[in-house]
Amino acid sequence: MPERLGPPRETPLVGRLAIIGFGLIGSSIARAAAHLRLARTIVAVDRDPGVLARARELGLSDDATADAAAGVTGADLVILCVPVGAYGEVARTIGPALEAGAIVSDVGSVKAAVIAQVQPHLPAGVHFVPAHPVAGTEHSGPDAGFATLFLNRWCILTPPEGADDAAVERVRGFWSALGSDVEIMGAQHHDLVLAITSHVPHLIAYNIVGTAADLETVTQQEVIKFSAGGFRDFTRIAASDPTMWRDIFLHNREAVLEMLGRLNEDIALLARAIRWGEGDKLFDLFTRTRAIRRGIISSGQETPEPDFGRRHGETPS
Ligand code: NAP
């Protein structure tokens, strides 16, 4: 499995690449695309002047603008990297400026709602290939990005029915060049899979950290002091961007509620097993879950090092 990005390309895959929303994901795409010379020109678009100034300082793009329509003019690939609730507004703004033959893609963590927001605003002759890189961190903004974010991670494409095959292949080629493994699936199925693998785990983390903060019988100081017992691993996820996650839950409502229903039933069964002293039920479940963790490690999606690879006994640099 490669651990670093390959050498720069002799000929770019894309002429003008416009990245709208220059935060963690958008700036990571720009970093990798610049390093690999995937585009002749990279344009950063963001509504935040501070983000644009930072993009210029970091030298991550050839041009940086708050004017999304100007940014996409002449672009052959446009990647939307704004929070899931903002896709419709951005698509409405750029629609009239898109040129025939251009490909519009995105990185949204929810797919059906993004397709519903974007598609109505795209003119005929513009190809839409939605994508979701299953890679990220709990940090936000252009300084949080890094070029290897997508290396050996999955990127899921959810082309709508009738999508142009050549456009899908170009987007697949782009993500493969960034180091990702690409899989194609339907948008509804994507939303169900991600509800259980990402969205509900985030909700559980937000919930447990919130519950601990509200306890009357255990002080916040004690929660922080003894957090190494498991709590602190939830706090990493619960530190994720509030805007992004608010939008994910509001836009993947049905799939999340479906998975939460299942989770509530299973938690009730666990509570019953504890109440009735059914140790074999607990033991069987914990054995099955351990096997899932080992499967994630052997597939290269997690480090096998103990304690999530935390370095112990070393002086932090
Ligand atoms: P981020 O670091 O917060 O960056 C988003 C940027 O978009 C911010 O600079 C934001 O500016 C800007 N923005 C918001 N609305 C805009 C608009 N209407 N026009 C122009 N710019 C706008 O977010 P991120 O973590 O990169 O996430 C971006 C997308 O990637 C989301 O759809 C998310 O679901 C998806 N995603 C995230 C992860 C992850 O782990 N973070 C992983 C996979 C996919 P303001 O600060 O002014 O709002």
Side-chain angles (χ1 to χ4, degrees):
M1 216 177 276
E3 284 177 2
R4 54 180 65 192
L5 292 173
R9 291 176 60 92
E10 304 256 314
T11 41
L13 283 176
V14 175
R16 183 175 165 97
L17 167 65
I19 299 174
I20 305 187
F22 213 69
L24 167 71
I25 302 293
S27 76
S28 295
I29 295 173
R31 282 177 169 91
H35 171 89
L36 294 162
R37 230 178 286 142
L38 294 187
R40 206 164 293 125
T41 309
I42 299 177
V43 186
V45 179
D46 203 286
R47 66 178 182 182
D48 182 339
V51 167
L52 294 174
R54 198 65 192 123
R56 287 188 200 102
E57 273 165 26
L58 293 167
L60 293 177
S61 64
D62 303 286
D63 192 7
T65 175
D67 183 343
V72 304
T73 301
D76 40 8
L77 178 60
V78 177
I79 307 184
L80 312 179
C81 305
V82 296
V84 164
Y87 278 105
E89 173 202 330
V90 171
R92 188 166 40 81
T93 308
I94 64 171
L98 292 165
E99 286 170 27
I103 297 174
V104 173
S105 188
D106 76 299
V107 296
S109 307
V110 175
K111 299 282 38 119
V114 165
I115 293 172
Q117 286 183 69
V118 172
Q119 218 163 19
H121 300 291
L122 301 186
V126 169
H127 307 296
F128 184 34
V129 185
H132 175 206
V134 187
T137 75
E138 68 276 27
H139 301 296
S140 310
D143 285 292
F146 52 100
T148 53
L149 177 60
F150 311 110
L151 199 57
N152 303 321
R153 295 285 168 256
W154 286 100
C155 181
I156 302 172
L157 308 187
T158 62
E161 247 188 68
D164 181 72
D165 288 342
V168 174
E169 281 316 301
R170 282 193 77 192
V171 175
R172 181 203 285 275
F174 184 84
W175 282 100
S176 298
L178 296 183
S180 294
D181 296 315
V182 177
E183 180 134 331
I184 294 186
M185 65 175 75
Q188 306 280 359
H189 188 64
H190 164 279
D191 290 353
L192 264 184
V193 172
L194 270 291
I196 192 64
T197 57
S198 172
H199 306 168
V200 168
H202 274 77
L203 202 67
I204 291 170
Y206 282 123
N207 182 63
I208 197 168
V209 175
T211 301
D214 291 344
L215 287 177
E216 301 84 27
T217 45
V218 177
T219 67
Q220 278 210 32
Q221 237 180 349
E222 286 171 311
V223 170
I224 291 167
K225 185 169 167 185
F226 301 114
S227 63
F231 182 75
R232 72 176 179 195
D233 293 322
F234 284 101
T235 61
R236 185 188 68 75
I237 296 182
S240 299
D241 188 68
T243 304
M244 169 180 158
W245 283 95
R246 176 203 63 199
D247 284 6
I248 287 174
F249 291 117
L250 294 183
H251 290 86
N252 197 20
R253 191 168 37 194
E254 269 155 41
V256 168
L257 290 177
E258 161 70 19
M259 293 302 170
L260 264 184
R262 289 289 300 266
L263 184 81
N264 283 332
E265 285 172 21
D266 292 344
I267 285 184
L269 289 178
L270 278 178
R272 190 187 152 86
I274 293 168
R275 189 179 304 285
W276 293 99
E278 296 170 336
D280 51 342
K281 284 199 178 148
L282 299 177
F283 187 86
D284 287 349
L285 174 66
F286 301 164
T287 306
R288 276 198 291 134
T289 55
R290 190 175 235 199
I292 290 174
R293 166 86 187 160
R294 288 180 177 154
I296 290 171
I297 291 169
S298 65
S299 70
Q301 297 298 309
E302 172 63 302
T303 167
E305 289 169 55
D307 203 11
F308 302 94
R310 286 190 181 99
R311 283 170 297 194
H312 296 284
E314 289 177 25
T315 316
S317 52

